[in-house]
Amino acid sequence: MGISLLQSRSRNASARSSRGLSGGVLAWLVLIIAGLSTCTPGRAVEGENTVIRTEMPDDVPRDETDDRAPVRRATKEDLVLVEAPPPPFCGDGSLNDDEQCDDANTDAGDGCSANCLVVEQGYACAMPGSACALAAICGDGLQILDEGCDDGNVDGGDGCATNCQLEADFACPVPGEPCVSSVACGDRRISGAELCDDGNITDGDGCSALCALEAGWT
């Protein structure tokens, strides 16, 4: 009788222990599954695009944090970017990692595009939060500030020099278009390859119709 009672108690204790162990394992499994389904910082969530805004240290001057050239010409990529939706903090006056410029507004045509993704051609946006300024970029086809010409390239000898100043005997009336020779035989001005210019384009008077010296004349 005493042995049977001990065996019965032993079986009951084993059953309780098994139920307790099973409950503990189940609880751990629930915790592990819950942990796997939890999002962690920096992981993408389907259907959403998260932009991480990096705060700029207070002791770093804002105009020294961007190593891009302050003056730039438009690119093909700009034509695509200018139509893109703006980053979430566009217009707040701070240059964030996902912005090309930020002049504290969302207006186009002032140097920084409405979506803060493009520095507009002919402008420089040196200080975030401040207005962009006109800037001359030789070769971009825009004649700005102290440029004497801009024919859309930086080649010399074509009328507009490499520094976008007008070369002798040329005229560049339309920015972005090729310059033209200003040499005109018969204008009483010796220029270009002319050896003479007597104000006409008549042969037989010492200066030919091509403004070349004729034999027997001085």
Side-chain angles (χ1 to χ4, degrees):
M1 181 70 173
I3 294 174
S4 298
L5 181 59
L6 288 174
Q7 290 176 342
S8 176
R9 289 179 177 175
S10 176
R11 285 194 297 271
N12 291 338
S14 297
R16 286 195 299 271
S17 175
S18 298
R19 287 195 298 272
L21 179 61
S22 298
V25 171
L26 181 59
W28 277 109
L29 287 174
V30 170
L31 289 175
I32 292 172
I33 292 171
L36 291 175
S37 63
T38 302
C39 294
T40 58
R43 294 180 60 184
V45 179
E46 186 177 356
E48 296 182 5
N49 291 319
T50 302
V51 177
I52 300 175
R53 182 182 182 183
T54 303
E55 294 295 336
M56 191 179 301
D58 293 334
D59 59 343
V60 178
R62 292 186 181 272
D63 60 340
E64 296 180 4
T65 58
D66 187 6
D67 57 359
R68 292 171 298 208
V71 179
R72 57 192 297 276
R73 67 177 65 189
T75 65
K76 292 181 180 180
E77 290 75 13
D78 290 340
L79 301 179
V80 176
L81 287 174
V82 76
E83 300 295 335
F89 299 101
C90 176
D92 68 353
S94 297
L95 186 63
N96 302 293
D97 288 344
D98 49 4
E99 296 174 343
Q100 181 81 322
C101 56
D102 197 317
D103 56 356
N105 67 65
T106 54
D107 300 326
D110 59 356
C112 184
S113 63
N115 59 7
C116 297
L117 296 179
V118 176
V119 176
E120 295 170 330
Q121 190 175 11
Y123 283 88
C125 303
M127 180 68 71
S130 300
C132 301
L134 285 173
I137 308 174
C138 185
D140 67 351
L142 299 177
Q143 188 173 334
I144 298 176
L145 300 178
D146 59 350
E147 290 183 324
C149 57
D150 196 317
D151 57 355
N153 65 66
V154 290
D155 301 326
D158 59 356
C160 190
T162 56
N163 60 351
C164 282
Q165 297 303 312
L166 195 62
E167 294 178 322
D169 303 325
F170 280 91
C172 306
V174 182
E177 297 294 329
C179 301
V180 295
S181 174
S182 61
V183 177
C185 182
D187 63 356
R188 293 186 180 277
R189 185 175 66 89
I190 299 177
S191 57
E194 292 180 333
L195 297 178
C196 59
D197 196 318
D198 57 358
N200 64 65
I201 50 173
T202 303
D203 289 322
D205 59 358
C207 187
S208 72
L210 299 178
C211 287
L213 288 171
E214 295 176 320
W217 295 80
T218 57

